[in-house]
Amino acid sequence: MIQLRDYQIETIDKIAQLYTLKYNRIVIQLPTGAGKTVTFSALINRFMGKIDGNIIVAVHRDKLLKQTQKTLYKLGKIEAQAIIQGVTHRNPNFRVYITMVETAIRRLNKNPKFFGDARLLIIDECHIGNFKKLLPKFGDSTLIVGCTATPISSTKKDPLKNYYQEIITGPQISHFIEQGNLCQNYTYHIKG
């Protein structure tokens, strides 16, 4: 069983509060090692108990897809279908689908309702530019939560504020080092 930390619970509570105020595009910023996957998995768990509809998690690497599947199961026994290359149909017995962004776009181009009634879209590493073409596929009834350690868009000409209404920042690296959750980094270099 995964125990959530205070800042993770606070982040989820802030998302819920913003959602009730009609914000539907929110960025979560937590540093590397702070547990973004655990945080959005807990958000999914909470969301599933409150709202009907399907949930999509879009990642950019196969390793993150598998990590998310494991975390969802460890956290709340949530089983998620992986929509990957070769999977052309979603299993309607699932409510959570984890996919690579390009795969999701291809499926949605062929069938705009491929994921059913999608009410929550989690975008891991939302600062990466290829996720921007996924956003127009979802309307205002879908809560879109982007997660990143670095909320700076891959291009200065098209910042994240063009796609998201609000950002929630958690504690920063110095806090995690002070709490003993991360160790102090040491940098070595060649003299001169």
Side-chain angles (χ1 to χ4, degrees), residues 36-96:
K36 286 182 290 298
T37 304
V38 170
T39 302
F40 72 67
S41 294
L43 173 66
I44 290 168
N45 192 32
R46 181 170 170 178
F47 194 88
M48 287 181 73
K50 305 273 184 196
I51 296 174
D52 291 331
N54 295 333
I55 299 159
I56 305 160
V57 180
V59 298
H60 75 287
R61 290 191 354 226
D62 186 53
K63 182 179 177 181
L64 294 172
L65 188 144
K66 292 174 184 171
Q67 174 185 318
T68 300
Q69 253 181 330
K70 288 178 186 175
T71 304
L72 281 165
Y73 192 79
K74 277 183 180 177
L75 187 81
K77 301 285 187 237
I78 298 169
E79 293 188 18
Q81 181 184 9
I83 304 294
I84 56 175
Q85 183 179 354
V87 177
T88 57
H89 295 88
R90 72 175 172 88
N91 183 335
N93 295 322
F94 288 89
R95 282 190 62 200
V96 181

Side-chain angles (χ1 to χ4, degrees), residues 2 4-5 7-20 23-28 30 35-51 53-57 68 71-72 75-76 78 95-96 119-124 142-147 168:
I2 297 173
L4 294 178
R5 295 184 177 150
Y7 66 89
Q8 292 170 320
I9 295 167
E10 289 170 15
T11 298
I12 294 166
D13 288 345
K14 286 178 187 175
I15 291 169
Q17 181 183 22
L18 287 169
Y19 187 58
T20 62
Y23 288 84
N24 66 340
R25 293 187 177 211
I26 303 164
V27 172
I28 298 172
L30 290 170
K36 286 182 290 298
T37 304
V38 170
T39 302
F40 72 67
S41 294
L43 173 66
I44 290 168
N45 192 32
R46 181 170 170 178
F47 194 88
M48 287 181 73
K50 305 273 184 196
I51 296 174
N54 295 333
I55 299 159
I56 305 160
V57 180
T68 300
T71 304
L72 281 165
L75 187 81
I78 298 169
R95 282 190 62 200
V96 181
R119 298 292 307 280
L120 174 62
L121 170 64
I122 305 285
I123 300 176
D124 194 21
T142 303
L143 171 60
I144 299 174
V145 178
C147 302
I168 298 170

Side-chain angles (χ1 to χ4, degrees), residues 125-158:
E125 304 296 348
C126 69
H127 63 280
I128 298 173
N130 68 342
F131 287 104
K132 293 173 186 173
K133 55 188 169 185
L134 185 59
L135 296 175
K137 305 282 184 190
F138 298 91
D140 290 341
S141 64
T142 303
L143 171 60
I144 299 174
V145 178
C147 302
T148 183
T150 53
I152 299 170
S153 183
S154 57
T155 172
K156 289 181 181 182
K157 292 179 181 178
D158 195 17

